[in-house]
C-alpha cells in the first residue's frame, strides 16, 4: 500500500463497502479491515494517513483500537476518526479519552465524510513533515515553538468567536475554555479589524448572525494577506447545505452543525490549531533554510554563492541598459593579528561590527556580501568608477575613525581596511574580470601601506 491511503475499519461488510465507495469516488486510496487486530497490523506494518474506525466491533472495540494506536510510537500520529451512533453521545467522551481526533455520526453524511478526511489527511502530511525534520536536524525546533509534544500542539490556542447571540456564544466558549483562549466579538466589522493583528490560531464564525452575513466575513478574511492562511470554522444550522458548500468553496476549513456537541467541537478545534501551528513552523523553517542558503550566518550579509549569481544579473542589466556598475573589494587590515592576540570571539565581534558599518554606509540597492574570512564585496549599480571611489573612501573612514568593541575584557580595538575599486568599462567585460581588477586594486592598496582606497587603473 502506498502511504497516503485511508483505512476503513468496521466488522459489518456493508458499512465497509459503503464508506469505501464514497471515498473512492473522491479519488482517495482506500484500504479496509474487518477487525481491530487486523487494523492494528495494517497501521503498524504498512502505515496509513487516516483511520475511520467503527466504535462497535466484537472482541476489540474501536476505543481499544484507538488507545493502542495512540500508545504505539510508530502509529500515535495517525489521525483517527471514530464513527459513532447518533444516540450515544457518551461515545464521543470515551473517544476523546482514547485519543480520537474527530467523529462521524451514523448514518454518515457525504459532505462531512469528505471534509473530515481531507482535514486530517492534511494534518497527517504536516505531522510527517515535522517528524522528518526533527529526525534529520540536531535541534527539534518545533518543540520550543509548540511548547510541548506534538499531541499537545492543539491546545492553548487563541480563538476568535464571531457570534452575536449571547447564549449560543456562551455554549461554545464553555466547551473550549479549559483548553483554549477564546475571545468573542459580536460585530463582524470589529472582528475584521481585530483578527489580523491579534495573532489568532482559529476563527469560528456563526452563519446565523442576526445582524450580518457570516459568509461575507469569511470571504473578507480569505482576501486579506495577513489572514489568508488563518483556519476558519463555521457553525451552521441543520439543513443549510447550500450555504455550507459556499463556505467550503471559499476556503472555510471546517464546520460544525447545531446543536453543537462540546466534544466534537473540542476535537475539531484541536485539529485546526495543530494545522495552523505546524504550517507556521514549517513556513518559518523554510524561510530560515532559504536565508541560510544565501546569508553569511556570522554577519547576516549575503554570502559568496548569492553574490556570484546576483552580480551576474546586475552586470547583465547594466550592460544591456548602458548603465555604469562598480565593485568594491574590502579587506580588514592585519585581521590575523586580531584573532591571534585576542581570540576568535574578538575577531567575530569585529567582523559583525564591520558588516554593520558597511550596511549603514551604502544604499539599499547596493549588494553587500562577505566573500569569506575578512574579505567583503559591495556591488553598486548605476555607479561609475569616480563615485565608487568616493563611497570606498567614506567606508574606509567610517571603519578607521571609531574603535571596534570586542567585548568587556578587551574593550575597543583600532581597525582599518584596504579597498579596491573597479567598474564595468569595456565591451568584453565580465563579472569575473571586474572582480579580478578590483582584487588587483586591493592588492595595490595593501602593498602601498594599507588603510587606503585604490581604483583600478586598467
Amino acid at each position: 500500500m502506498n502511504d497516503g491511503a485511508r483505512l476503513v475499519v468496521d466488522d459489518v461488510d456493508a458499512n465497509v463497502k459503503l464508506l469505501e465507495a464514497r471515498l473512492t469516488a473522491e479519488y482517495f486510496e482506500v484500504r479496509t479491515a474487518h477487525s481491530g487486530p487486523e487494523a492494528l497490523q495494517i497501521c503498524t506494518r504498512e502505515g496509513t494517513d487516516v483511520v475511520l474506525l467503527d466504535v462497535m466491533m466484537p472482541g476489540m472495540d474501536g476505543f481499544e483500537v484507538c488507545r493502542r494506536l495512540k500508545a504505539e510510537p510508530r502509529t500515535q500520529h495517525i489521525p483517527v476518526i471514530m464513527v459513532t451512533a447518533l444516540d450515544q453521545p457518551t461515545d464521543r467522551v470515551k473517544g476523546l479519552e482514547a485519543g480520537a481526533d474527530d467523529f462521524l455520526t451514523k448514518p454518515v453524511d457525504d459532505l462531512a465524510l469528505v471534509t473530515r478526511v481531507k482535514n486530517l489527511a492534511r494534518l497527517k502530511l504536516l505531522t510527517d513533515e515535522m517528524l522528518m525534520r526533527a529526525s534529520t536536524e540536531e535541534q527539534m525546533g518545533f518543540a520550543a515553538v509548540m511548547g510541548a509534544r506534538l499531541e499537545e500542539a492543539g491546545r492553548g490556542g487563541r480563538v476568535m468567536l464571531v457570534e452575536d447571540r449571547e447564549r449560543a456564544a456562551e455554549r461554545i466558549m464553555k466547551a473550549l475554555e479549559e483548553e483554549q483562549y477564546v475571545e468573542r466579538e459580536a460585530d463582524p466589522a470589529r472582528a475584521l479589524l481585530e483578527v489580523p493583528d491579534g495573532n489568532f490560531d482559529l476563527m469560528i464564525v456563526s452563519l446565523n448572525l442576526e445582524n450580518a452575513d457570516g459568509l461575507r466575513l469569511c470571504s473578507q478574511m480569505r482576501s486579506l494577506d495577513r489572514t489568508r492562511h488563518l483556519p476558519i470554522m463555521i457553525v451552521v444550522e441543520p439543513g443549510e447545505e447550500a450555504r455550507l458548500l459556499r463556505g467550503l468553496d471559499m476556503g472555510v476549513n471546517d464546520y460544525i452543525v447545531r446543536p453543537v456537541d462540546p466534544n466534537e467541537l473540542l476535537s475539531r478545534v484541536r485539529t485546526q490549531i495543530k494545522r495552523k501551528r505546524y504550517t507556521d513552523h514549517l513556513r518559518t523553517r523554510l524561510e530560515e533554510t532559504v536565508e541560510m542558503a544565501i546569508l553569511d550566518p556570522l554577519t547576516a550579509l549575503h554570502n559568496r554563492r548569492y553574490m556570484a549569481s546576483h552580480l551576474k544579473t546586475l552586470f547583465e542589466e547594466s550592460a544591456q541598459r548602458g548603465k555604469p556598475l562598480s565593485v568594491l573589494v574590502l579587506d580588514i587590515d592585519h585581521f590575523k593579528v586580531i584573532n591571534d592576540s585576542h581570540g576568535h570571539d574578538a575577531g567575530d565581534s569585529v567582523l559583525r561590527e564591520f558588516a554593520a558599518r558597511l550596511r549603514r554606509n551604502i544604499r539599499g540597492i547596493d549588494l553587500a556580501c562577505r566573500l569569506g574570512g575578512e574579505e567583503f564585496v559591495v556591488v553598486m549599480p548605476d555607479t561609475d568608477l569616480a563615485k565608487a571611489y568616493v563611497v570606498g573612501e567614506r567606508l574606509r573612514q567610517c571603519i578607521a575613525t571609531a574603535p571596534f568593541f570586542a567585548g568587556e575584557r578587551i574593550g575597543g580595538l583600532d581597525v582599518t581596511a584596504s579597498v579596491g575599486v573597479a567598474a564595468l568599462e569595456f565591451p568584453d567585460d565580465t563579472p569575473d574580470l571586474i572582480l579580478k581588477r578590483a582584487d588587483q586594486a586591493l592588492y595595490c592598496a595593501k602593498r602601498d601601506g594599507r588603510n587606503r582606497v585604490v581604483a583600478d587603473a586598467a
Side-chain angles (χ1 to χ4, degrees):
M1 180 187 74
N2 294 325
D3 188 36
R6 285 66 171 159
L7 177 63
V8 175
V9 188
D10 197 314
D11 63 304
V12 179
D13 195 50
N15 293 342
V16 170
K17 283 186 163 52
L18 182 63
L19 288 177
E20 183 180 16
R22 289 173 173 178
L23 291 170
T24 303
E26 293 291 330
Y27 302 102
F28 293 131
E29 185 182 343
V30 183
R31 284 293 304 272
T32 62
H34 291 82
S35 71
E38 185 186 0
L40 291 172
Q41 188 178 39
I42 289 171
C43 291
T44 303
R45 187 182 66 233
E46 302 173 45
T48 183
D49 65 0
V50 179
V51 179
L52 287 114
L53 187 57
D54 186 48
V55 167
M56 300 301 294
M57 292 188 292
M60 186 187 297
D61 65 16
F63 302 122
E64 181 60 24
V65 176
C66 186
R67 270 191 291 272
R68 294 196 185 192
L69 286 172
K70 297 299 182 178
E72 166 61 48
R74 283 177 296 176
T75 59
Q76 64 182 343
H77 303 302
I78 298 174
V80 175
I81 301 175
M82 303 291 289
V83 183
T84 69
L86 183 61
D87 59 349
Q88 293 295 324
T90 54
D91 283 353
R92 298 189 179 196
V93 178
K94 288 176 71 176
L96 272 180
E97 290 170 349
D101 297 276
D102 209 335
F103 307 93
L104 284 170
T105 302
K106 293 179 180 178
V108 175
D109 175 75
D110 284 0
L111 184 59
L113 173 68
V114 173
T115 304
R116 307 312 178 220
V117 169
K118 280 184 178 176
N119 264 324
L120 288 171
R122 289 186 190 119
L123 177 60
K124 176 62 162 50
L125 195 67
L126 288 168
T127 307
D128 288 347
E129 179 75 7
M130 299 284 286
L131 292 168
M132 183 188 72
R133 286 177 181 268
S135 65
T136 55
E137 296 173 1
E138 285 184 9
Q139 293 183 334
M140 291 177 66
F142 68 83
V145 175
M146 303 305 174
R149 298 165 297 172
L150 278 173
E151 57 264 33
E152 296 298 313
R155 295 175 168 84
R158 283 176 51 76
V159 179
M160 168 60 79
L161 171 63
V162 184
E163 173 62 86
D164 57 9
R165 292 180 295 177
E166 200 71 36
R167 292 185 63 188
E170 282 176 6
R171 281 194 291 272
I172 290 175
M173 293 176 76
K174 188 172 183 355
L176 298 177
E177 64 185 4
E178 288 188 15
E179 285 193 10
Q180 317 294 350
Y181 304 102
V182 185
E183 291 184 29
R184 178 217 172 184
E185 180 53 67
D187 180 3
R190 286 185 60 83
L192 191 62
L193 293 173
E194 292 173 18
V195 170
D197 297 318
N199 195 28
F200 287 96
D201 297 301
L202 173 67
M203 186 172 75
I204 302 175
V205 181
S206 169
L207 286 203
N208 309 105
L209 299 169
E210 293 178 343
N211 301 308
D213 182 356
L215 276 181
R216 183 175 298 278
L217 173 61
C218 296
S219 175
Q220 290 168 325
M221 286 293 175
R222 280 291 168 263
S223 67
L224 294 174
D225 282 342
R226 284 182 295 173
T227 55
R228 186 162 291 148
H229 302 292
L230 177 71
I232 300 175
M233 179 184 293
I234 51 179
V235 187
V236 299
E237 299 286 348
E240 285 193 307
E241 189 161 297
R243 297 192 75 210
L244 171 56
L245 283 169
R246 283 185 62 195
L248 292 170
D249 284 345
M250 70 174 59
V252 165
N253 301 84
D254 203 353
Y255 69 94
I256 192 161
V257 181
R258 299 186 202 272
V260 172
D261 179 283
N263 297 306
E264 183 183 353
L265 178 65
L266 265 178
S267 61
R268 303 260 161 84
V269 166
R270 280 183 199 159
T271 294
Q272 295 305 325
I273 290 175
K274 277 184 187 179
R275 271 185 59 186
K276 167 74 160 51
R277 288 175 169 174
Y278 293 175
T279 304
D280 286 352
H281 176 75
L282 292 171
R283 193 178 293 123
T284 300
R285 292 309 298 250
L286 177 62
E287 289 167 1
E288 288 172 356
T289 303
V290 170
E291 281 188 2
M292 285 171 65
I294 64 172
L295 295 184
D296 170 57
L298 179 65
T299 63
L301 296 179
H302 287 98
N303 59 20
R304 177 190 288 269
R305 179 168 42 176
Y306 182 84
M307 191 275 296
S309 63
H310 209 64
L311 173 59
K312 183 173 182 290
T313 303
L314 292 172
F315 173 85
E316 289 170 354
E317 287 176 357
S318 296
Q320 287 169 4
R321 291 164 51 221
K323 294 285 187 179
L325 174 83
S326 294
V327 173
L328 304 179
V329 180
L330 305 91
D331 192 276
I332 301 174
D333 297 328
H334 303 298
F335 185 71
K336 186 175 185 301
V337 175
I338 295 172
N339 273 337
D340 290 347
S341 303
H342 305 288
H344 287 282
D345 285 348
D348 287 351
S349 294
V350 168
L351 289 169
R352 279 191 291 266
E353 176 61 23
F354 188 93
R357 295 189 191 189
L358 203 61
R359 213 180 279 111
R360 286 197 298 268
N361 285 275
I362 60 175
R363 303 167 300 174
I365 64 167
D366 297 333
L367 173 66
C369 308
R370 181 186 177 200
L371 276 194
E374 65 272 29
E375 194 170 16
F376 297 79
V377 170
V378 179
V379 183
M380 295 180 290
D382 298 331
T383 307
D384 60 23
L385 190 68
K387 288 178 183 173
Y389 182 91
V390 173
V391 175
E393 180 58 28
R394 185 173 72 229
L395 286 169
R396 185 199 66 76
Q397 288 180 15
C398 90
I399 289 158
T401 52
F404 282 54
F405 182 72
E408 294 292 342
R409 183 177 59 83
I410 300 164
L413 292 175
D414 291 328
V415 176
T416 63
S418 301
V419 185
V421 189
L424 167 60
E425 294 182 287
F426 305 104
D428 58 348
D429 262 342
T430 66
D432 286 343
L433 282 173
I434 297 172
L435 270 177
K436 186 176 181 181
R437 294 205 301 270
D439 256 334
Q440 289 169 342
L442 172 66
Y443 172 78
C444 292
K446 287 194 167 290
R447 183 196 62 195
D448 294 344
R450 295 183 169 84
N451 190 23
R452 64 192 62 220
V453 181
V454 172
D456 166 52

